[in-house]
Amino acid sequence: MTRPIQATIDLAAIRQNYLLAKRLAPNSFAFAVIKADAYGHGYLRVARALAPVADGYGLINIENALAMREAGITQPILLLEGCFDREEVDVAVANGLWVPLHSAFQLDWLRALPAGGRPLDVFIKINTGMNRLGFRPEQAADVLAQLRQLPQVRVRGLMTHFATADDDEGIEPQLLRFDAVNARLDLPCCVANSAATLRYDVARREYVRPGIMLYGASPFADQSAEQLGLAPTMKLEAEIIGVQELQPGDRVGYGARFTASQPMRIGVVACGYADGYPRIARAGTPCVVDGVRTRLVGRVSMDMLTIDLDPVPQAGVGSKVTLWGGDGLSIDEVAAGADTIGYELMCALAARVPVVVVGE
């Protein structure tokens, strides 16, 4: 018998969330972001599921892009961090991959491409305040002028990335810098991540890059995925494998972090941080047993966690426990109990957790 834990990936829900992005930005080309193994959902299965509706894809590793080409996926694929060496530029050209250009040293790689062959599709990435990748705004015009001297390059547009699209500061400071640059260049624009796609119509330009919204999690602290119309796509479930009867003063788990104040029952669940459930989740983090909400008690250990069974007295060994993504329990709620975000929980789902795929 296998260990009683399972993740369910709903591909139909991912398609539904992508189509929501398309409805919000009907005139935009939408890159479905499937980096980090599609946020833990499996990049190739997600790419195949979206193939009938997706305009294009965005990811990081060129190896993943090549696997998609071998699987017959023909849409544009944007390498979100660009090429990492000169050889990858040749691979990108040969496979029709789109590439952001973010640093001066990459221009030398493009100059070395043979003229007369298939052109490399590039975006010029501008650093408008995130201070990760990108040219300074004052460099953009010169970079474009250099690219226009290279027949082996086709400029697709200008892009940037927002640092605060998901909070009260919003996108205005960075967007003003970006638009000041593009007033001189007049290129198609790619600026909107999930948060900007959902909240700011001014950011829905020629291209958008929906990421976390595809996977049914909210980028905002003040709006739930349900309020945004997003469908959950990953459900994590396990079973109770043991029950303990506690007396007042009994303590639970590593570090004895929880002490019973009255007689109570706790359930031991076959899930721990080695499965991707966060060790730092606090006592009180919600879960659902037999349709009833209850809470974690004690510290999450490598292979097990413990929950309060007093709200659900009928529960016992074999009872199903929803840890996130179903029965009205969003992954964002669980992430809040660990002072993190739903993105991290999805990406941390361990390879040892069996996965069932629905909605194909």
Side-chain angles (χ1 to χ4, degrees):
M1 180 177 177
T2 59
R3 184 164 168 263
I5 183 172
Q6 174 180 290
T8 302
I9 303 297
D10 188 341
L11 298 178
I14 296 173
R15 286 192 295 270
Q16 177 181 331
N17 294 334
Y18 177 84
L19 292 173
L20 173 60
K22 288 293 294 180
R23 288 196 298 274
L24 289 170
N27 299 315
S28 301
F29 183 106
F31 289 105
V33 176
I34 56 173
K35 64 179 181 176
D37 200 26
Y39 295 59
H41 292 68
Y43 79 94
L44 201 51
R45 71 165 67 101
V46 171
R48 285 171 169 148
L50 289 177
V53 295
D55 298 328
Y57 301 90
L59 44 69
I60 302 296
N61 297 321
I62 201 166
E63 296 84 0
N64 297 155
L66 296 181
M68 290 168 62
R69 290 291 187 243
E70 291 173 5
I73 292 169
T74 59
Q75 289 100 320
I77 300 173
L78 177 64
L79 300 175
L80 293 166
E81 291 181 358
C83 292
F84 297 117
D85 56 39
R86 171 68 182 80
E87 289 71 26
E88 285 196 352
V89 175
D90 291 329
V91 175
V93 171
N95 291 275
L97 309 181
W98 296 21
V99 177
L101 184 73
H102 58 74
S103 298
F105 66 85
Q106 295 173 323
L107 285 165
D108 292 332
W109 298 347
L110 303 190
R111 291 189 189 98
L113 287 171
R118 183 178 190 175
L120 177 67
D121 293 290
V122 303
F123 282 90
I124 303 171
K125 186 158 191 177
I126 304 300
N127 174 16
T128 57
M130 185 76 160
N131 287 311
R132 295 192 313 189
L133 299 177
F135 293 98
R136 304 295 299 178
E138 62 270 17
Q139 297 174 298
D142 180 61
V143 171
L144 178 60
Q146 291 185 60
L147 292 176
R148 284 180 168 163
Q149 297 301 311
L150 302 177
Q152 61 270 41
V153 172
R154 178 165 49 204
V155 178
R156 286 287 182 175
L158 198 68
M159 68 189 301
T160 197
H161 191 65
F162 296 127
T164 54
D166 57 347
D167 64 27
D168 291 340
E169 183 172 335
I171 66 172
E172 184 177 6
Q174 284 187 255
L175 191 59
L176 286 173
R177 295 187 198 107
F178 181 88
D179 284 343
V181 171
N182 203 37
R184 301 189 301 272
L185 306 185
D186 192 26
L187 293 173
C189 300
C190 181
V191 298
N193 55 6
S194 286
T197 300
L198 287 162
R199 185 164 282 183
Y200 298 104
D201 57 0
V202 70
R204 299 165 192 154
R205 305 287 179 88
E206 289 84 356
Y207 302 92
V208 295
R209 306 186 303 270
I212 189 62
M213 67 178 293
L214 302 185
Y215 309 102
S218 172
F220 306 115
D222 60 350
Q223 275 186 291
S224 69
E226 183 178 13
Q227 288 171 325
L228 293 167
L230 300 171
T233 63
M234 178 189 287
K235 183 177 183 181
L236 181 63
E237 300 172 288
E239 290 183 10
I240 295 173
I241 59 173
V243 175
Q244 295 289 341
E245 304 278 350
L246 302 187
Q247 298 303 312
D250 284 347
R251 298 190 292 176
V252 178
Y254 287 117
R257 300 285 290 273
F258 178 83
T259 302
S261 60
Q262 60 189 27
M264 65 181 296
R265 296 171 72 235
I266 64 166
V268 181
V269 181
C271 180
Y273 61 76
D275 300 298
Y277 197 95
R279 180 178 181 271
I280 62 170
R282 295 185 296 272
T285 299
C287 61
V288 177
V289 183
D290 292 343
V292 177
R293 280 198 171 220
T294 184
R295 60 181 180 134
L296 266 66
V297 295
R299 177 176 280 167
V300 175
S301 56
M302 181 179 288
D303 308 300
M304 291 173 279
L305 55 81
T306 45
I307 61 174
D308 182 3
L309 293 184
D310 280 357
V312 53
Q314 75 274 18
V317 172
S319 291
K320 297 282 188 183
V321 181
T322 299
L323 295 163
W324 69 59
D327 298 317
L329 178 62
S330 75
I331 195 169
D332 299 314
E333 286 185 83
V334 178
D339 294 321
T340 188
I341 52 179
Y343 309 57
E344 184 175 2
L345 301 192
M346 293 176 184
C347 293
L349 184 70
R352 77 177 190 172
V353 177
V355 172
V356 172
V357 178
V358 300
E360 293 184 274

